């Protein structure tokens, strides 16, 4: 069983793009991102607004930092919006939900040591995950629907999830180094990545 946790960002858009969206709600997401100053983007999948965080080039990552921070102090910012897609044998099983952030990694990491918890708790709805022998059972059952619709029950090998979490942690570390490098050239604090990747909302 091949399991991945794809680190996904919902790219922030500019005030100009927000105004355009208000004027015409059917404006394509790609157009809003172009108006926001992003270039040469490749979406994670054609039918979702997410992008792979690690695949953003430095210009797009710097633009995401700038738009996310806006006129706030870095210390007052939560993590980038987005989260993690659970991919089993090449099939997306769970996407980040409404209000989810990259900081949701912490709940996935807790799955390595806890046997019953909610994951992706920054967003809503949140799946419940629990260990059953050498399996992890993930239940996507809530009064609020999961978007896109997902299986109510997902079973995955614990060892495969454990390894996928480790890979996601390494990816976040690499992106953190890139963010901190960009932050210094943008006049932002050295620890900017802690806020943009780890700070709970």
């Amino acid at each position: 069983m091949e399991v991945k946790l794809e680190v996904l960002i919902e790219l922030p858009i500019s005030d100009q793009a927000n105004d355009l969206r208000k004027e015409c709600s059917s404006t394509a997401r790609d157009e809003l991102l172009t108006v926001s100053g992003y270039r040469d983007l490749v979406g994670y999948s054609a039918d979702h607004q997410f992008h792979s965080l690690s695949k953003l080039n430095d210009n797009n990552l710097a633009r995401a930092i700038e738009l996310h921070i806006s006129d706030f102090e870095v210390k007052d910012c939560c993590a980038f919006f987005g989260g993690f897609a659970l991919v089993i044998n090449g099939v997306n099983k769970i996407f980040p939900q409404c209000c989810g952030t990259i900081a949701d990694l912490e709940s996935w990491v807790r799955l390595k040591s806890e046997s019953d918890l909610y994951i992706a708790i920054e967003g809503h709805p949140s799946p419940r995950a629990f260990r059953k022998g050498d399996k992890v059972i993930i239940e996507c059952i809530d009064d609020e629907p999961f978007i896109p619709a997902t299986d109510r029950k997902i079973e995955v090998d614990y060892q495969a999830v454990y390894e996928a979490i480790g890979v996601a942690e390494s990816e976040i570390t690499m992106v953190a180094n890139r963010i901190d490098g960009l932050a210094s050239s943008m006049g932002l604090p050295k620890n900017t990545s802690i806020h943009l990747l780890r700070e709970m909302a």
Side-chain angles (χ1 to χ4, degrees):
M1 174 178 283
E2 181 185 336
V3 178
K4 285 187 78 177
L5 274 181
E6 288 284 352
V7 186
L8 301 179
I9 182 172
E10 184 176 352
L11 291 168
I13 60 174
S14 65
D15 290 341
Q16 183 183 2
N18 259 324
D19 291 343
L20 180 62
R21 182 170 53 185
K22 288 175 189 170
E23 290 171 20
C24 181
S25 61
S26 65
T27 303
R29 178 89 181 152
D30 288 347
E31 184 178 345
L32 296 176
L33 292 171
T34 299
V35 168
S36 297
Y38 298 104
R39 299 291 180 267
D40 305 316
L41 287 170
V42 178
Y44 174 67
S45 65
D47 54 345
H48 296 288
Q49 73 270 25
F50 299 110
H51 292 80
S52 171
L53 183 60
S54 65
K55 291 180 182 169
L56 291 179
N57 64 35
D58 283 351
N59 290 335
N60 286 330
L61 184 55
R63 186 63 177 147
I65 293 167
E66 181 183 2
L67 289 172
H68 185 73
I69 292 171
S70 185
D71 54 358
F72 291 97
E73 294 288 326
V74 171
K75 65 181 177 59
D76 297 326
C77 290
C78 69
F80 283 126
F81 290 102
F84 298 82
L86 176 66
V87 184
I88 302 175
N89 295 330
V91 177
N92 295 308
K93 291 294 190 176
I94 300 174
F95 273 98
Q97 297 299 302
C98 183
C99 303
T101 72
I102 303 292
D104 275 328
L105 177 63
E106 297 307 316
S107 65
W108 285 96
V109 169
R110 286 187 13 243
L111 186 57
K112 290 164 64 172
S113 59
E114 296 181 30
S115 59
D116 191 345
L117 71 154
Y118 283 88
I119 51 176
I121 56 174
E122 285 282 280
H124 57 92
S126 296
R128 176 180 173 227
F130 58 93
R131 291 271 307 271
K132 189 174 183 181
D134 62 351
K135 302 288 184 193
V136 173
I137 311 299
I138 299 173
E139 292 181 340
C140 299
I141 302 168
D142 197 285
D143 292 339
E144 184 178 0
F146 282 80
I147 299 173
T150 189
D151 297 336
R152 291 172 60 86
K153 186 176 180 181
I154 300 164
E155 190 172 303
V156 60
D157 293 337
Y158 171 75
Q159 189 60 39
V161 171
Y162 187 96
E163 291 169 9
I165 293 167
V167 171
E169 288 178 293
S170 297
E171 186 175 330
I172 288 290
T173 299
M174 287 187 288
V175 172
N177 292 334
R178 288 179 60 208
I179 287 173
D180 289 336
L182 289 167
S184 66
S185 66
M186 296 170 73
L188 298 171
K190 291 180 183 179
N191 65 348
T192 294
S193 67
I194 292 171
H195 299 279
L196 299 185
L197 299 174
R198 304 282 186 175
E199 196 66 41
M200 295 288 200

